[in-house]
Amino acid sequence: MPVAVSLSVLAAAVAGHMLWPQPLEATAAYGSAVRVLDGTVRGVVRDAQGTPVASAEVQWLPSGTVVRSRDDGSFLLSGVPAGPVTVRVRRIGYQPQQREVTVADKGTVVADWRLARAPQQMAVLNVNARKEPSDGRLAGYRERLDAKRGGHFITRERIEQSGNRNLLDAFRGIPGVRISTPARGVNAGKVVRFRSSTCQPLVFIDGFAATAADFDFESIDLNMVEGIELYLSSNSVPPELIGSRGLEQCGVVAVWSRPTQLRVPRAKGTDERRAELVKELAAGTVLTAEQVDSTAALANGELEVLYPEPLWRAGVSGQATVEFVVDARGRLDWATLAVVSATNDAFGRAIIEALVPAKWDAATKGRSPVAQLVVLTIEFARPPSVSPVR
């Protein structure tokens, strides 16, 4: 039976104080010497576990240009004065760091950073069990996939990695699968046969037998497919996929569609909105967890996060941190949503998908609701008692 859990939100509202850069000042006394800005500092910002941290603020002090780390944690700080220079790195949710580096004239110095997380008011959410789709259609498919007895399986992960455009492309390369065009003409649809068989395999779509005639496999959109099972001989077909009148004698193909996907709202001008967020934090129109009396919280107290299936099957654990603003009306501002760090991109996507149906209660200061920046960290820990599927 699939493992299912009800997960309580332990929303991680970060309490680290964050200062934001002041406007640059380029003033010099009359007649004073002006340093030539010739050097470059580059590096990667990571957290304590070595995961890249995006959008960390990097600046040379006291008033140098501010740049932000990319999604892979890398940054390039140019126009740095040659000689000893103090560089500071900071980000909401992490303890700021600064240290001195020496930049050669017209040279580049490499400076990597490891940021420790700031103290959090609440514990992180731990996900240590797999939550199956509510329709249960895929339970049998997953059980057979785990057992791997007698069939060939094409998983969603494999589909995404292959870049195949249609179902027939996904079949190519599987031993014993033959794809051909009937003699009646080049415009006829291609047919699939297994091994030396001359008859068509029985096709199931989400557990229901399709037509007994040759199935148009090219009509299937791979973007809608969660998994495919192929059984090349009748003696390898599981009982659940045996057809009437012995139609499975020429093999079976079972296609399983993806569970209903909640769409993440599309927010226009995300980059511009996040630039505005920097100013709002500095002005105090958006507050951090330490600045409010009551932090933003999920209205139902729970967040259901799905452990990414490919990572579950491979026994991969990890974590991801996302940030977003919950406004004074309790609405998630999707334009501010960003993955701060993730040991695997799939963990970040899993959190974002879980946030789609979530409802929030706004933070309060005094008796008034206010907008708050929420930082949510989720750790995905696969139970050691469950062996990875090979």
Side-chain angles (χ1 to χ4, degrees), residues 32-48:
S32 61
V34 179
R35 301 174 70 184
V36 179
L37 307 182
D38 272 338
T40 300
V41 179
R42 64 178 177 87
V44 178
V45 182
R46 297 183 174 90
D47 63 17

Side-chain angles (χ1 to χ4, degrees), residues 265-330:
R266 292 185 177 181
K268 295 182 179 179
T270 299
D271 291 341
E272 292 80 0
R273 178 65 188 92
R274 290 190 58 79
E276 292 175 3
L277 175 59
V278 173
K279 299 178 182 178
E280 292 170 350
L281 285 163
T285 53
V286 173
L287 305 180
T288 60
E290 68 168 3
Q291 296 172 321
V292 301
D293 297 327
S294 175
T295 58
L298 284 164
N300 62 359
E302 295 185 350
L303 184 69
E304 290 191 349
V305 182
L306 303 186
Y307 204 119
E309 180 68 22
L311 302 184
W312 170 274
R313 297 180 58 78
V316 176
S317 298
Q319 69 175 25
T321 297
V322 301
E323 69 176 15
F324 49 89
V325 170
V326 174
D327 68 18
R329 296 184 180 182

Side-chain angles (χ1 to χ4, degrees), residues 146-158:
D146 290 345
K148 288 193 183 305
R149 290 193 295 266
H152 295 271
F153 294 85
I154 302 174
T155 63
R156 182 69 217 164
E157 181 183 27
R158 178 174 168 183

Side-chain angles (χ1 to χ4, degrees), residues 21-28 37 59-65:
Q22 300 300 315
L24 301 183
E25 296 182 3
T27 60
L37 307 182
Q59 180 186 28
W60 61 267
L61 302 179
S63 57
T65 301

Side-chain angles (χ1 to χ4, degrees), residues 353-369:
E353 290 172 1
L355 288 171
V356 174
K359 305 298 182 183
W360 293 84
D361 291 328
T364 59
K365 188 173 182 63
R367 296 183 178 181
S368 301

Side-chain angles (χ1 to χ4, degrees), residues 32 37 45 47 85 96 125-126 178 180 221 245 258 290 335:
S32 61
L37 307 182
V45 182
D47 63 17
V85 176
L125 169 64
N126 291 295
R178 296 182 291 116
S180 61
D221 182 359
R245 306 188 306 277
R258 301 182 71 180
E290 68 168 3

